[in-house]
Amino acid sequence: MPPRPPQPPWTPPEETPPAAAPPPRSRRLLLGVGAVVALVVALGAPTADRYLFYKSGRPSPTVHLAEPGQTLTYEHVSWKSAIEPTTAPPGSRHNTPDKQWLKITVTRSATDDTGAVLTAKPELKLKDAGGRTWMAEIYEDNTPTEKHEVGKEYSYLAMAVVPAAVGKEVQLNLEPNITYRMDTPTEKLFAPDEENLDKDRRNDVIVFRR
Amino acid sequence: MTATDQRPAASRRRRAPARGGGSKVLGAIVGLALAAGAVGLQTLGLSADEMSMPLVSAGDKGEEVATGRFTIRVDGVKTAKSIRVADKTAVTGNVFLVVETSATVPQEPLKIRPPVLVADDGRRFDTTDKVDRSKTLANVWSQPGWWTSGVFVFDVPADALAGAKASFVAPTNAFYSEPTLPAAEVDLGIDEAAAKQFAAAPQDVYTLGEKK
């Protein structure tokens, strides 16, 4: 994006028409306020414009909280999760005692026919209270490639490694894909999806509390 | 800045009649000077190209070079005639420059983008494709709380070694580019003597993927 060069110099004089005998103090005040306003607008407008553009690609997350052990239904799919500590796999680069391995089980089930075709893999991350984030990699997945059965539970198994100090505190953040439908014909895969434009712009995160 | 400078000029012009014709001329000159200054200041603004350049944190080999999103430390630099990965060996007529790198992040995990080698004379080199990218640090998540180590390998002519720097730019979204991405530029600490040594006596084989 090209920067908009600020054009402040002509603003203040225009705001003060030469009156016959204006009280000098209030005019000076007006000039001062005009100058400050011009400066703020000149610096603020391009900044705000760039920030809005930046945000348009990275929408702020909408958090959906799931209480411990509870199932949360969002956009035609019910989600459930469990985290349990585990030991480092042999040969791993993270096998020191200051790191805690976690095994994550995520269970999903479609609540209706729409949910049955929303089969995309969610993205799993772990977050501590300070906002530090760790990746969880799915290593086992028993979801079928075809349509899911409504009401049937499928699960993902994932592994993550976090510092041992936060092993009991990190919460699973699950980012569901609410737009990919497995029944989309191949030729339409890259076509803009008019119905789902709003959903595409969303950034939903399901947080499972511990 | 220019906006506040305008204020005295404007009020001086208003007061001019009381002091006669001379200060009218003075006011015009001051006004013109201010206008010229304001126009001149615009040339100091960043161009579109400059806005898309990264915001660089610089450091030396062995130092932790922190940007807002990741921290890089170059632990060592080696040269080799060939690189062995598993049972495959890559060879070069130039020289392989192996940059042993560690990385960590303050908050969000990311995969370090392969750096660009900037030679002293401005030539830029990408990492070599003779070495599988999945065996480099670019394939590993750098996460908060610990350092992750790996290498990046360049295939460069020997005369590019002296004074070379490795420039690491933060990974970004391909669709929504950001202005002034954070970057870390690390001076690899190769002086003329070291460059000669590196070029003259590279290791025969550098084996990747042994140490973790």
Side-chain angles (χ1 to χ4, degrees), chain A residues 97-122:
Chain A
D98 60 328
K99 290 172 195 159
Q100 176 66 59
W101 282 76
L102 299 171
K103 182 179 158 191
I104 300 153
T105 313
V106 172
T107 311
R108 65 180 292 162
S109 67
T111 57
D112 54 25
D113 284 338
T114 312
V117 296
L118 290 168
T119 61
K121 237 187 222 186

Side-chain angles (χ1 to χ4, degrees), chain A residues 3 5-6 8-10 16 27 32 39 50 53-54 56-58 93-94 99 130-135 137 161-163, chain B residues 1-3 6-7 14 35 38 42 46 48 51 106-109 140-141 143-146 148-149 172 176-178 212:
Chain A
W10 306 114
T16 54
R27 193 178 64 180
L39 185 67
R50 280 177 212 143
F53 175 75
Y54 172 85
S56 71
R58 298 163 188 75
R93 66 159 77 199
H94 300 295
K99 290 172 195 159
R132 294 193 298 168
T133 309
W134 292 271
M135 301 303 295
E137 304 259 17
V161 50
V162 300
Chain B
M1 195 165 96
T2 50
Q6 191 69 22
R7 192 168 35 153
R14 294 287 130 62
Q42 301 297 329
L46 295 180
M51 283 298 286
Q107 285 266 319
E108 292 281 326
V140 192
W141 286 105
Q143 307 207 72
W146 57 76
T148 306
S149 300
T172 186
Y176 296 92
S177 62
E178 293 176 56
K212 295 263 166 159

Side-chain angles (χ1 to χ4, degrees), chain A:
Chain A
M1 270 225 327
R4 315 252 156 85
Q7 300 285 344
W10 306 114
T11 319
E14 284 173 7
E15 283 172 16
T16 54
R25 179 181 278 183
S26 73
R27 193 178 64 180
R28 211 174 291 158
L29 187 74
L30 197 62
L31 273 169
V33 169
V36 169
V37 167
L39 185 67
V40 167
V41 170
L43 294 177
T47 307
D49 180 48
R50 280 177 212 143
Y51 178 73
L52 288 177
F53 175 75
Y54 172 85
K55 264 323 221 189
S56 71
R58 298 163 188 75
S60 303
T62 308
V63 173
H64 308 268
L65 275 181
E67 293 304 320
Q70 295 293 303
T71 303
L72 187 134
T73 303
Y74 179 68
E75 286 289 328
H76 315 284
V77 180
S78 290
W79 299 95
K80 202 165 68 182
S81 86
I83 300 184
E84 52 188 297
T86 181
T87 51
S92 154
R93 66 159 77 199
H94 300 295
N95 49 11
T96 47
D98 60 328
K99 290 172 195 159
Q100 176 66 59
W101 282 76
L102 299 171
K103 182 179 158 191
I104 300 153
T105 313
V106 172
T107 311
R108 65 180 292 162
S109 67
T111 57
D112 54 25
D113 284 338
T114 312
V117 296
L118 290 168
T119 61
K121 237 187 222 186
E123 196 162 300
L124 307 178
K125 290 173 183 169
L126 294 168
K127 228 174 214 191
D128 75 358
R132 294 193 298 168
T133 309
W134 292 271
M135 301 303 295
E137 304 259 17
I138 294 174
Y139 66 93
E140 209 178 300
D141 167 1
N142 72 359
T143 58
T145 45
E146 62 268 24
K147 216 171 147 179
H148 289 187
E149 224 173 278
V150 175
K152 187 172 173 189
E153 293 196 331
Y154 302 98
S155 60
Y156 302 104
L157 295 183
M159 284 281 222
V161 50
V162 300
V166 296
K168 290 198 164 57
E169 144 196 344
V170 284
Q171 296 183 333
L172 177 66
N173 285 26
L174 184 150
E175 295 169 19
N177 182 332
I178 57 174
T179 54
Y180 171 77
R181 297 170 62 105
M182 53 79 64
D183 60 352
T184 309
T186 318
E187 62 268 22
K188 279 197 177 168
L189 265 184
F190 296 104
D193 187 353
E194 306 291 336
E195 289 170 30
N196 282 332
L197 277 183
D198 287 344
K199 286 185 186 171
D200 270 337
R201 287 200 197 101
R202 295 185 62 85
N203 177 9
D204 288 296
V205 183
I206 300 174
V207 175
F208 293 92
R209 308 184 72 156
R210 294 185 73 183

